[in-house]
Amino acid sequence: MLLKIVKGLLIGLASLVGLLLLLPVAVMLLFLMTEMFDAGVRSIPFDVEQHGVVDVIVRNHHGEDDTLYYYNLSADGRAQQTDPFEPDAMTVTRIDRSSLESYIDRGQNKVLNRLQEVYVCDDNGNRIPNTDPLVDAVMHQAAKLEHDIMELRMLQTGGETFLYTELNVNLWCPCELYWYDPVEDRLVELYTFNELEVVGLRVRDVGRVKRP
């Protein structure tokens, strides 16, 4: 009986020692994860002077708080946190979601989109027919995107055109930023944020985005 008690105590002591040895490792991992992930964005360092395409300001798209987060985006899809900055002046065109009709392609097992008549929203949220050829061009490319799109905004700043979308996907809300390439007439995905709304941009050099 005494032997069993001693054996149990030794096992318990060994487990405690093991936990104490693992504690510093766990703390270090937690620290590294905190440094790498800010507001749900994996921050991967890069030389912004050589690879930076655009700087973005994002915030929680649910409006739970007004905290702003600042990132540099690279031509190869990386994001790194940066110091606060003043964004470029930006024109925002809200495109009504009815401009795209989503459907399920059973053959590909994907949710795709069909382009409908394009409507934009005025300052009061009223739908009006689109008359801007650039909006039409961007929407022809947006119709090639997958998933049901809940929000569409065309952002114009620094002489460049971007498209911001929010997707209807289970469990999370991908918020995607694209650059519209007028030469190749295509949308180039720059980054996908998780439930973070793009509210400001500062253009660096979109020419760093590789062309086909």
Side-chain angles (χ1 to χ4, degrees):
M1 181 69 179
L2 180 59
L3 183 60
K4 290 183 178 180
I5 295 175
V6 172
K7 184 178 179 181
L9 289 173
L10 289 175
I11 292 174
L13 181 61
S15 299
L16 179 59
V17 170
L19 288 174
L20 290 175
L21 291 174
L22 288 174
L23 183 59
V25 177
V27 172
M28 180 59 70
L29 287 174
L30 181 61
F31 173 77
L32 291 174
M33 290 179 66
T34 303
E35 289 294 304
M36 183 171 287
F37 292 88
D38 177 76
V41 178
R42 187 183 182 195
S43 188
I44 303 177
F46 62 90
D47 186 340
V48 69
E49 298 302 327
Q50 292 188 15
H51 305 288
V53 172
V54 64
D55 303 331
V56 299
I57 305 174
V58 295
R59 69 181 176 194
N60 188 294
H61 104 292
H62 292 299
E64 296 173 352
D65 63 69
D66 294 325
T67 304
L68 298 178
Y69 303 92
Y70 301 80
Y71 292 93
N72 310 124
L73 301 184
S74 72
D76 58 359
R78 287 177 289 175
Q80 69 176 3
Q81 189 177 8
T82 189
D83 294 330
F85 60 85
E86 191 68 27
D88 296 334
M90 183 168 68
T91 300
V92 179
T93 302
R94 292 180 178 270
I95 304 168
D96 192 80
R97 64 175 298 183
S98 67
S99 303
L100 293 177
E101 178 188 44
S102 62
Y103 66 98
I104 298 176
D105 186 309
R106 299 297 181 183
Q108 301 183 66
N109 195 28
K110 294 180 178 180
V111 177
L112 305 179
N113 290 284
R114 296 189 187 94
L115 184 63
Q116 307 295 304
E117 184 175 357
V118 178
Y119 287 88
V120 295
C121 301
D122 63 17
D123 293 338
N124 297 317
N126 300 314
R127 294 194 327 153
I128 55 176
N130 174 60
T131 58
D132 186 345
L134 181 57
V135 173
D136 283 334
V138 170
M139 287 303 295
H140 271 90
Q141 299 307 310
K144 300 176 183 179
L145 303 178
E146 297 179 10
H147 301 296
D148 181 30
I149 301 176
M150 300 185 297
E151 181 78 14
L152 290 149
R153 299 177 204 164
M154 189 176 79
L155 314 175
Q156 294 174 276
T157 182
E160 302 294 342
T161 302
F162 301 85
L163 180 68
Y164 167 79
T165 67
E166 294 177 6
L167 305 184
N168 182 16
V169 178
N170 293 333
L171 302 179
W172 69 305
C173 177
C175 300
E176 299 181 333
L177 180 65
Y178 296 85
W179 169 60
Y180 175 66
D181 180 353
V183 176
E184 300 292 340
D185 188 26
R186 62 175 183 143
L187 287 173
V188 179
E189 183 178 350
L190 298 178
Y191 200 79
T192 299
F193 296 94
N194 181 18
E195 301 190 357
L196 291 175
E197 173 188 13
V198 174
V199 296
L201 295 171
R202 182 175 65 182
V203 177
R204 285 185 175 269
D205 187 356
V206 294
R208 290 173 174 150
V209 175
K210 292 182 179 180
R211 299 188 186 278

